[in-house]
Amino acid sequence: MFGLQTYFNFTQGLFSVGSSVFVHGHLHRLLTYPIYHRSLAQLFLSIITLVFLSSSLEKGVGTVRFLFLFIVLSTTTGVFYAFLDLLQDVSSQKHTEGLVPVALACVALTTMHTKMTKGFLCGVSFPTMALPWVFLIITTALIPDCVLLCNVIAILIGWFYGKGWFSRVDMSEARAVNLERIIPFRLLRSICPVMFVPASTEERRKTVLPEINPTPGSYPVQAYAPLSSINTTDTTKMYEGWPSSPSALSSPTPSVIPHGSTHSSGTSHGQSFDQTCNHNHFSHSHDQL
């Protein structure tokens, strides 16, 4: 689009969205304004913004559903902005274009479904619900020809979509899987450099989070000392009452003084005492007889 308008020298704002949508019936601008840019700087900055802010949404819903959301969010934002621009004075009316409104709407939609309570940007912690407004300030200040009102409307549209206000026009996962079999998406899926995210939950997990199969021995990385370097001399060192040398470890039971001799001695003394008592009792009985 940018190449065509540069080569043929189109009128500035020919595909921008504004009050002309209702005044002159330029309904086609609701579909063309996201891909229309006035300058090369605006084009590159808009592409970077879209990739940076919307890639997580595509990985979460799939490529087909992301393209559907792209059209729905951009068209709805364009309709509301054109209506509000029509209510303003003629001197205050301003047309807008670019990918920034859609990118901000995608961020707002993502924050409605995430479980994270805080987000980090350049080392600074922000509440998750405040991230769209932070990106709104940054993009409006850095990207040329950005209209603040349109960007605010885009964030609100993303929030409304996340709350389920557009559930009647939402695309189901089964419908997206069927659309993937059509020729345009099938060809897009076959292109090697392009990362096509499937709509199915199982296939999407395999694409976004591929399994890692490390070679045996590569993980975890540990260095073992060679067996020949271990000193095998029998030098026993005691550590807290336990032997620490290899020879001591080979015989974990420590040598103790046997108690068998003491027990046997005691037993022999007991037997001698019993025999003496029996002999005396027998002698005493014989004398009485």
Side-chain angles (χ1 to χ4, degrees):
M1 176 68 74
F2 184 77
L4 290 177
Q5 72 183 24
T6 304
Y7 181 78
F8 292 104
N9 196 13
F10 291 159
T11 306
Q12 289 289 335
L14 180 62
F15 298 103
S16 300
V17 68
S19 60
S20 61
V21 173
F22 296 106
V23 174
H24 303 289
H26 295 162
L27 298 179
H28 63 279
R29 296 190 177 189
L30 297 175
L31 299 174
T32 58
Y33 85 92
I35 58 176
Y36 174 76
H37 299 82
R38 296 175 182 266
S39 61
L40 187 62
Q42 183 186 13
L43 173 64
F44 281 113
L45 292 176
S46 296
I47 293 175
I48 294 173
T49 303
L50 180 68
V51 173
F52 179 71
L53 300 181
S54 305
S55 59
S56 60
L57 180 61
E58 181 182 2
K59 294 178 182 179
V61 300
T63 302
V64 175
R65 297 180 68 184
F66 173 74
L67 294 176
F68 174 78
L69 290 174
F70 182 91
I71 296 174
V72 172
L73 294 176
S74 63
T75 304
T76 309
T77 303
V79 169
F80 278 92
Y81 175 73
F83 178 75
L84 293 179
D85 190 49
L86 181 63
L87 299 179
Q88 296 179 359
D89 297 335
V90 179
S91 59
S92 302
Q93 293 178 356
K94 186 177 182 180
H95 287 60
T96 184
E97 65 280 325
L99 298 168
V100 176
V102 186
L104 294 175
C106 292
V107 173
L109 176 59
T110 305
T111 55
M112 293 299 298
H113 293 281
T114 185
K115 297 180 180 180
M116 297 178 59
T117 57
K118 291 184 179 182
F120 294 91
L121 180 64
C122 299
V124 181
S125 176
F126 295 96
T128 303
M129 301 303 294
L131 285 177
W133 304 107
V134 175
F135 289 122
L136 169 68
I137 298 174
I138 296 175
T139 53
T140 306
L142 298 180
I143 300 178
D145 299 324
C146 277
V147 180
L148 180 61
L149 179 60
C150 184
N151 294 339
V152 172
I153 294 174
I155 294 176
L156 297 178
I157 293 298
W159 277 354
F160 294 155
Y161 195 97
K163 289 182 178 180
W165 290 21
F166 297 89
S167 58
R168 293 184 178 273
V169 297
D170 195 7
M171 179 182 292
S172 62
E173 181 177 326
R175 178 61 177 171
V177 172
N178 294 330
L179 289 177
E180 289 179 356
R181 303 171 184 174
I182 301 177
I183 292 179
F185 300 107
R186 189 169 56 187
L187 293 176
L188 182 62
R189 192 170 188 172
S190 61
I191 300 176
C192 296
V194 178
M195 181 180 179
F196 185 88
V197 183
S200 176
T201 304
E202 297 180 358
E203 296 181 3
R204 186 167 63 247
R205 290 177 180 176
K206 295 179 181 179
T207 304
V208 178
L209 302 173
E211 296 182 359
I212 301 176
N213 297 322
T215 57
S218 62
Y219 182 83
V221 180
Q222 278 184 321
Y224 297 93
L227 185 61
S228 60
S229 64
I230 300 177
N231 188 10
T232 58
T233 57
D234 191 6
T235 56
T236 304
K237 295 181 180 180
M238 302 300 294
Y239 179 75
E240 294 185 356
W242 292 92
S244 61
S245 66
S247 61
L249 292 176
S250 60
S251 59
T253 305
S255 59
V256 295
I257 300 175
H259 298 278
S261 58
T262 306
H263 179 70
S264 60
S265 178
T267 304
S268 60
H269 286 297
Q271 291 176 356
S272 301
F273 180 75
D274 292 339
Q275 291 176 0
T276 305
C277 291
N278 293 333
H279 177 71
N280 295 334
H281 178 71
F282 178 76
S283 301
H284 181 67
S285 299
H286 179 72
D287 293 341
Q288 288 179 351
L289 291 174

